[in-house]
Amino acid sequence: MDTELLKVFDHHGKHTGIATREEVHSKGLWHETFHCWFISKEEDKHFLHFQMRCAEKKDYSNLLDITAAGYINAEENVADGIREVHEELGIDLALEDLIYIGCIQDEIIQDIIIDRELAHIFFYNIPNPLNYTFQMEEVVGIMKVELALFEQLWFGKIENICATGIVVDKKLRQVEVDRRVAKGDFLPHTNAYISNVLMELKKIIE
């Protein structure tokens, strides 16, 4: 398999070279990613939609994360990141379907990985119910949570909230689910990243 190469940057976003994905994570190098958040409105409430990561994934298995996200390879530009929506969710979108709000830094530092991302953030307003075809080695479901409650959960005002959606069961069927989730059920993004994403989202929906 070809080695995955990524452009790397300094803390200020200046391009400094190219490195492998393994080097990026072992050395904590800044690199570009594509983050696409699906949002919807039902009656008078707004919802965020999270992908459920596959149980077999090496990193952050079973956790809820950005609807569709991935790395922007060295030979790609930001617009190429939209491939992640089709690859992970089986949804065909064009770049003009999305709302681009800019680049937000995000750091996730664990014992085995130092993930420093220059994340290009996009929003997609879901106009109608979607039929997902999941990339099973990556994603096994989509769960939605009420935006206002998610914000309270993330910043410690409440301990758990209701999430509803679909997941793939052992017979590979998409089944509806309804469960309580806590902050620990989500990928551990920084508070600054989540705060900035929510701030930009509110500008769009208000």
Side-chain angles (χ1 to χ4, degrees):
M1 185 173 65
D2 294 337
T3 301
E4 187 174 9
L5 297 176
L6 307 176
K7 289 178 283 189
V8 294
F9 303 79
D10 64 18
H11 182 74
H12 301 289
K14 180 182 178 180
H15 182 218
T16 58
I18 292 175
T20 66
R21 181 171 171 175
E22 290 73 20
E23 288 176 312
V24 161
H25 286 156
S26 64
K27 298 179 180 179
L29 303 176
W30 289 96
H31 56 285
E32 290 182 300
T33 54
F34 172 91
H35 290 185
C36 186
W37 292 85
F38 282 25
I39 57 178
S40 64
K41 184 177 182 181
E42 300 175 22
E43 297 179 351
D44 60 343
K45 296 179 180 179
H46 290 90
F47 292 84
L48 286 173
H49 296 245
F50 292 84
Q51 67 166 250
M52 178 175 289
R53 294 167 66 89
C54 174
E56 281 71 45
K57 280 190 69 67
K58 179 181 177 181
D59 303 318
Y60 311 115
S61 59
N62 286 323
L63 293 185
L64 298 172
D65 196 16
I66 301 155
T67 327
Y71 298 95
I72 299 172
N73 294 330
E75 72 278 8
E76 295 181 316
N77 57 42
V78 174
D80 292 320
I82 198 171
R83 60 178 164 73
E84 294 291 342
V85 179
H86 176 76
E87 289 176 3
E88 295 186 347
L89 307 178
I91 303 297
D92 291 314
L93 297 177
L95 197 65
E96 51 266 28
D97 295 323
L98 309 181
I99 302 168
Y100 180 59
I101 58 92
C103 184
I104 297 176
Q105 291 184 348
D106 190 24
E107 292 183 88
I108 300 177
I109 301 176
Q110 305 283 304
D111 292 338
I112 60 173
I113 187 173
I114 305 172
D115 193 10
R116 291 193 169 107
E117 300 185 4
L118 300 174
H120 294 276
I121 310 297
F122 294 81
F123 293 121
Y124 174 62
N125 277 299
I126 301 174
N128 299 296
L130 297 173
N131 294 315
Y132 295 100
T133 302
F134 298 122
Q135 184 182 19
M136 292 296 294
E137 64 270 24
E138 297 282 340
V139 182
V140 294
I142 288 287
M143 304 290 289
K144 68 179 181 181
V145 299
E146 187 180 339
L147 172 62
L149 294 179
F150 173 74
E151 183 172 17
Q152 293 181 56
L153 173 73
W154 193 270
F155 294 103
K157 295 182 180 179
I158 53 178
E159 294 185 356
N160 57 73
I161 58 176
C162 178
T164 61
I166 55 171
V167 298
V168 178
D169 68 9
K170 294 181 179 179
K171 295 183 178 181
L172 302 182
R173 300 172 302 185
Q174 292 188 6
V175 297
E176 295 183 359
V177 293
D178 184 337
R179 63 184 60 164
R180 305 295 297 183
V181 294
K183 184 177 180 179
D185 293 310
F186 295 84
L187 203 98
H189 296 283
T190 63
N191 286 349
Y193 169 82
I194 293 295
S195 179
N196 282 326
V197 167
L198 296 182
M199 178 179 65
E200 295 298 331
L201 176 56
K202 289 176 184 177
K203 293 178 184 178
I204 294 171
I205 64 177
E206 291 177 350

